[in-house]
Amino acid sequence: MSDAGPRDLTYMRRVAQDRELDVTLTDATEDRITIGFWGPEARAKLQTVVEDPAALEPEAFPFAALRPIRIAGREVTAFRISYVGERGWELHMAYEDGLAVWDALRSTGAIAVGIETYANSRRMEKSLRLQNADLRTEYNLFEASLARPKVKEADFRGKAKHLEYAARDHQPAMLCTLVMTDNIDGNGIARYA
């Protein structure tokens, strides 16, 4: 499970208990891993390490599709998605296959960055909000001062409530965003939150 996993597992357990469902929920967090592979050259680089490069072409692998692929002889479930505003994939695999896949991806010249880089700075550039980091569930986008200036015309679940919140003269809560203007410490070293 990712950062929201413990919350989701707790929610599912509560729903199962409240509804008296006869289900078994298993936390398989340590059985699987995910590597995000994004950027303007993601497709070209990934094509150099998969067994079937043509399978990654846009016509064969449209946005939001899931496909099995093989990297370094390992089975990988590729999910063509992006949270960072650039094309790319989430690559899901068995834990024991992770290092071989990682090494293959790094052999392409791809630069490894941590979640704080792609999930925060790049995601925020795209105006995506990360629940439990940028936005807690008890606040809406307007209260958190994170709403986009426009609402898409197409209907979506929650649109009516979103528009209701937007129409308020005053939000019941207002949060602020802190901006770091100087990241150099006393020793002259650049530090990042």
Side-chain angles (χ1 to χ4, degrees):
M1 293 183 179
S2 63
D3 66 316
R7 182 200 67 217
D8 293 342
L9 184 60
T10 298
Y11 173 78
M12 289 185 280
R13 285 183 175 150
R14 283 185 188 153
V15 168
Q17 182 179 6
D18 292 347
R19 295 182 183 175
E20 298 179 359
L21 301 175
D22 184 17
V23 297
T24 300
L25 297 170
T26 304
D27 182 354
T29 301
E30 296 184 19
D31 297 341
R32 310 265 316 151
I33 67 165
T34 301
I35 298 173
F37 198 71
W38 295 296
E41 299 175 22
R43 178 178 290 111
K45 287 181 181 287
L46 193 55
Q47 285 176 314
T48 66
V49 294
V50 297
E51 289 183 8
D52 183 7
L56 298 180
E57 291 297 329
E59 304 78 31
F61 205 143
F63 184 77
L66 285 165
R67 300 279 190 273
I69 62 173
R70 290 186 64 80
I71 300 173
R74 306 315 201 278
E75 281 293 323
V76 174
T77 299
F79 180 24
R80 187 166 164 227
I81 194 78
S82 179
Y83 306 106
V84 298
E86 295 178 341
R87 67 182 143 238
W89 286 264
E90 278 185 358
L91 304 172
H92 301 265
M93 67 217 72
Y95 180 84
E96 59 272 9
D97 294 335
L99 188 56
V101 171
W102 176 261
D103 287 345
L105 296 172
R106 292 285 288 138
S107 76
T108 70
I111 298 169
V113 297
I115 193 167
E116 293 304 320
T117 301
Y118 85 81
N120 289 336
S121 61
R122 297 309 308 258
R123 182 183 44 72
M124 290 302 287
E125 284 179 19
K126 192 176 176 190
S127 196
L128 292 177
R129 312 306 180 215
L130 182 61
Q131 194 172 30
N132 287 333
D134 307 321
L135 183 62
R136 299 283 182 201
T137 56
E138 62 267 22
Y139 298 106
N140 66 52
L141 291 171
F142 295 99
E143 292 168 334
S145 193
L146 293 172
R148 297 179 107 172
K150 293 183 181 179
V151 177
K152 64 183 179 181
E153 290 187 31
D155 195 23
F156 57 88
R157 185 180 179 99
K159 184 175 184 177
K161 188 57 75 173
H162 183 76
L163 293 173
E164 177 188 319
Y165 292 150
R168 291 178 177 166
D169 288 334
H170 300 286
Q171 297 299 325
M174 183 57 77
L175 309 176
C176 64
T177 301
L178 212 52
V179 177
M180 180 184 286
T181 57
D182 181 10
N183 68 325
I184 306 300
D185 72 11
N187 296 320
I189 298 171
R191 303 290 182 180
Y192 300 92

